[in-house]
Amino acid sequence: MKIVVAIKQVPDRDAPIRIASAGKWIEEADLQWAMNEPDAYALEEALQLKEKHGGEVVVVSAGPERVATTIREALAKGADRAIHIVADDLGSRDALGVARLLAAAIQPENPDLVLTGLQSEDMGLGQTGVILAELLRLPHSTLILHVEKTDAGLRVKRELEEGWFQSIEMPLPAVLTMQSGGNKLRYATLMGIKRAKTKELRAVNAAELGAGPAPVVVLEQITLPKKQKSTQILSGSPKEAATALVEKLKTEARVL
Amino acid sequence: MSSILVVQEARRDGSARIFQETLAAGRKLAALTGLPLEAAAVGDPNANIFREITGAPPSAGHAIRHPLLAAYTADGYVLAFEQLIRQLEPRYVLFPHTYQARDFVPRLAARFGQVLIGDVTAIETGPTFERQLFQGRINAAYRHTSDGPCFVSIQNGAFRADEPSGGTMPISEFLPAIEPAQIRIQPSDPFRESAQTVDLGSAQRIVCVGRGIKTADNMPLVEALAGALDAELAASRPICDNGWLPMERQVGSSGQTVAPKLYLAIGISGAIQHLVGMKGSQCIVAVNKDADAPIFEVANYGIVGDLFEVVPALTEAVKAAK
Ligand SMILES: Cc1cc2nc3c(=O)[nH]c(=O)nc-3n(C[C@H](O)[C@H](O)[C@H](O)COP(=O)(O)OP(=O)(O)OC[C@H]3O[C@@H](n4cnc5c(N)ncnc54)[C@H](O)[C@@H]3O)c2cc1C
Ligand SMILES: Nc1ncnc2c1ncn2[C@@H]1O[C@H](COP(=O)(O)O)[C@@H](O)[C@H]1O
């Protein structure tokens, strides 16, 4: 099976998020970056499918120079090769614009299966994979935890709300957006890290993939969330704060 | 381009309220734009979905009917809604932000050269649509800049549903053209993994632990606190994904919904998928080292600090107070 995995680099979860002075985006200068978590699960699923059925795992990522480190990480974990769509202006593209770039890079690969994460931790759009399916004219399913190859195509386990699931049969080729938690993630081995350096990482300029139409949705402004509830913050040493809290829970909130 | 179309999801237990909230969002948008409200759903015109309208009834209802829509598939729904939207030419199409909407609306929108403005929490003059970035740590205002229909989905709990009005709405049937070969995927009926043995829903006190706990070896720390409080132990999704607690103890949109008297969130950031499962709790306490963590927005009491220091102190304080 030839599997393409779309991987996005996002700010590390613990990185402090500060709004840049123009109020249009965050300060990116001192951020640390990581692989979007659901994409790590998508990669894991792809690697396991390859181990079972043979084939190739190709990583695609769009973003500036820095995303190469995340691509190398994917190669170190076992992806065979990668395509880096070099783009400094992702922020000015909407989801359709980003999906068009990814589709243009993926189409010539003719993959059997395309995996994306269900949602990015920074933009949280939860759309790119589904739009990709439309652009590639392939069937899709979302929120997938497990993928099993069958004679007719795939059987996948889809998450529904409140602890329910559903199983879906679908033909190949197809696009799936992967939910976190379906597998245990592997670490890159030392050997893997060494080997990654020799693997193919092809850089394509976004401009070569064709300029998309203007975005239909624009981000006008970002702000810090407004507090809705007045939260009483208990200060002091851990011991003082804990004692004060228990007192409040007893006498004020009356829940102890 | 003359109306606001609010779409209801085919009946699922508990889906009425989020539809009513989406209707309320539609009314807000109607007030800002002067456009009339219409409603649509897949199903029988006599189905409950069209009776669960609260507030002033929309000017028209559209019942989409086709045997191939009996089970939800993205293929079927995209085709059906594409045809309805081409006929009605609404200016805005609003959906509740459910798993179903996430599954097919981005594809539907792309067919119109549009993108979904998803998981919207507020609609303001402009109109601008607010949604969260960075897992709730940033708010963003978006504007639609094209002539095509604008697709929006509304976050669970973001708008307050109106009171039932008893008004009625004229309903017409819409019969889309769909061929069996156009439905490429075959879904099974929903199932649950295993019988639930813990009922967090009726627990009076819950200690809920998140990724701040770092490793499985640290779990006894929160177990001790839960023990001292006589509380059930629960967790955010990543903890259950890692297998540190069974999935039946997960709180949130893909886990359980709880409303105890006391809810302690330990090392939990407060992503929306977590908040929807616990914000009905009577008293919420958050312990987090990040003073800007979104969990503090819903907490009654908070301690900003390192949970590895605060939790043992809290366990001691609870024991001392007994
Ligand atoms: C479709 C979908 C469904 C989902 N369903 C659910 C669901 O049902 N339930 C759920 O919980 N999530 C769900 N999620 C995931 C959700 O989006 C978040 O990723 C998740 O809730 C984050 O868990 P967390 O708060 O434990 O971890 P993080 O977001 O990583 O937060 C960890 C927190 O711990 C704090 N911290 C770190 N170290 C310390 C320390 N030493 N002392 C004190 N504080 C510390 C940090 O400041 C941070 O705020 C779902 C996501 C999707 C897309
Ligand atoms: N710039 C990108 N490069 C590669 N993949 C991406 C990019 N943006 C989004 N994706 C993929 O699309 C998924 C959903 O992203 P989003 O629609 O932004 O929530 C991610 O989990 C990735 O798999």
Side-chain angles (χ1 to χ4, degrees), chain A residues 89-157:
Chain A
D89 63 345
L90 283 191
S92 63
R93 295 172 197 256
D94 56 21
L96 189 54
V98 174
R100 281 194 177 112
L101 285 181
L102 296 174
I106 293 171
Q107 194 117 52
E109 294 284 340
N110 258 315
D112 298 300
L113 181 60
V114 178
L115 300 184
T116 74
L118 86 159
Q119 184 164 320
S120 57
E121 290 170 88
D122 52 355
M123 302 306 287
L125 302 172
Q127 303 193 43
T128 308
V130 181
I131 301 172
L132 200 51
E134 171 69 10
L135 298 177
L136 297 171
R137 297 173 185 281
L138 299 179
H140 81 271
S141 191
T142 58
L143 286 137
I144 303 304
L145 287 160
H146 284 296
V147 183
E148 196 188 316
K149 199 175 168 331
T150 60
D151 292 338
L154 297 177
R155 181 178 306 117
V156 300
K157 180 179 172 192

Side-chain angles (χ1 to χ4, degrees), chain A residues 36-207:
Chain A
N36 188 44
E37 186 170 51
D39 305 5
Y41 283 94
L43 175 64
E44 181 60 43
E45 190 69 45
L47 294 173
Q48 290 193 15
L49 283 167
K50 181 193 151 181
E51 282 158 8
K52 264 186 232 137
H53 306 286
E56 194 185 17
V57 174
V58 183
V59 163
V60 178
S61 186
E65 289 300 328
R66 61 170 154 77
V67 313
T69 54
T70 296
I71 295 176
R72 287 280 176 218
E73 184 189 332
L75 293 172
K77 284 184 168 188
D80 296 290
R81 59 189 172 88
I83 304 169
H84 177 183
I85 304 168
V86 184
D88 291 320
D89 63 345
L90 283 191
S92 63
R93 295 172 197 256
D94 56 21
L96 189 54
V98 174
R100 281 194 177 112
L101 285 181
L102 296 174
I106 293 171
Q107 194 117 52
E109 294 284 340
N110 258 315
D112 298 300
L113 181 60
V114 178
L115 300 184
T116 74
L118 86 159
Q119 184 164 320
S120 57
E121 290 170 88
D122 52 355
M123 302 306 287
L125 302 172
Q127 303 193 43
T128 308
V130 181
I131 301 172
L132 200 51
E134 171 69 10
L135 298 177
L136 297 171
R137 297 173 185 281
L138 299 179
H140 81 271
S141 191
T142 58
L143 286 137
I144 303 304
L145 287 160
H146 284 296
V147 183
E148 196 188 316
K149 199 175 168 331
T150 60
D151 292 338
L154 297 177
R155 181 178 306 117
V156 300
K157 180 179 172 192
R158 173 166 192 251
E159 177 180 305
L160 302 172
E161 279 112 334
E162 288 155 9
W164 290 84
F165 301 93
Q166 131 189 94
S167 133
I168 291 176
E169 308 269 351
M170 59 201 296
L172 287 173
V175 179
L176 301 174
T177 83
M178 302 298 295
Q179 167 66 299
S180 299
N183 285 309
K184 228 175 133 43
L185 299 179
R186 71 188 67 193
Y187 291 99
T189 60
L190 222 52
M191 183 64 124
I193 295 170
K194 237 186 222 164
R195 246 186 230 148
K197 299 197 175 108
T198 64
K199 288 179 176 171
E200 179 187 315
L201 197 178
R202 188 159 56 86
V204 209
N205 222 302

Side-chain angles (χ1 to χ4, degrees), chain A residues 119 127 140 142 157 231 252, chain B residues 102-103 116 193 296 301:
Chain A
Q119 184 164 320
Q127 303 193 43
H140 81 271
T142 58
K157 180 179 172 192
T231 306
E252 200 174 83
Chain B
R102 303 170 68 110
D103 191 59
L116 170 69
E193 208 78 279
F296 286 119
Y301 301 101

Side-chain angles (χ1 to χ4, degrees), chain A residues 11 13 15 17 19 25-26 37 96 118-119 121-125 127 130-131 133-134 137-140 142-143 157-171 179-181 215-225 229 231-234 238-239 241-242 245-246 248-250 252-253 255-256, chain B residues 12 74 98-99 102-103 106-107 110-111 113-117 128 130-146 184-193 205 211 229 237 241 247 253-255 261-262 273 282-283 285 296-304 309-310 313-314 317-318 321:
Chain A
R13 210 173 293 117
I17 301 292
I19 297 176
W25 195 236
I26 58 162
E37 186 170 51
L96 189 54
L118 86 159
Q119 184 164 320
E121 290 170 88
D122 52 355
M123 302 306 287
L125 302 172
Q127 303 193 43
V130 181
I131 301 172
E134 171 69 10
R137 297 173 185 281
L138 299 179
H140 81 271
T142 58
L143 286 137
K157 180 179 172 192
R158 173 166 192 251
E159 177 180 305
L160 302 172
E161 279 112 334
E162 288 155 9
W164 290 84
F165 301 93
Q166 131 189 94
S167 133
I168 291 176
E169 308 269 351
M170 59 201 296
Q179 167 66 299
S180 299
V216 293
V217 161
V218 293
L219 206 188
E220 292 212 311
Q221 200 189 14
I222 62 171
T223 50
L224 288 176
K229 225 176 191 175
T231 306
Q232 287 191 46
I233 299 289
L234 301 157
K239 189 164 183 224
L245 174 65
V246 170
K248 295 249 180 208
L249 294 180
K250 268 182 114 163
E252 200 174 83
V255 289
L256 281 188
Chain B
R12 188 167 50 80
T98 60
Y99 279 29
R102 303 170 68 110
D103 191 59
R107 185 164 197 149
R111 207 156 276 193
Q114 298 294 319
V115 299
L116 170 69
I117 306 180
T128 59
E130 282 184 16
R131 56 185 304 278
Q132 299 176 316
L133 303 180
F134 299 95
Q135 309 241 33
R137 292 198 280 170
I138 297 282
N139 273 356
Y142 284 84
R143 193 189 283 266
H144 182 238
T145 55
S146 118
R184 294 168 291 182
I185 78 168
Q186 268 185 312
S188 77
D189 286 337
F191 60 89
R192 268 191 195 255
E193 208 78 279
R205 295 172 193 166
R211 188 141 48 186
L229 279 167
R237 179 168 183 133
D241 281 354
M247 200 197 139
S253 60
S254 51
K261 274 190 175 157
L262 177 62
Q273 294 88 4
Q282 186 186 324
C283 176
V285 175
F296 286 119
E297 284 160 46
V298 299
N300 302 79
Y301 301 101
I303 299 180
V304 179
E309 295 174 6
V310 175
L314 208 47
V318 170

Side-chain angles (χ1 to χ4, degrees), chain B residues 5-7 16-28 37 94-97 152-155 159 161:
Chain B
L5 185 65
V6 178
V7 177
R17 191 179 46 84
I18 171 159
F19 171 54
Q20 290 154 0
E21 291 170 2
T22 308
L23 270 179
R27 283 194 192 95
K28 175 86 193 269
L37 212 58
L94 268 53
F95 297 83
H97 190 76
V152 177
S153 67
I154 303 297
Q155 186 172 90
F159 287 80

Side-chain angles (χ1 to χ4, degrees), chain B residues 45-63:
Chain B
N46 298 313
N48 274 340
I49 17 182
F50 293 108
R51 298 218 193 93
E52 286 163 347
I53 303 281
T54 50
S59 56
H62 305 274

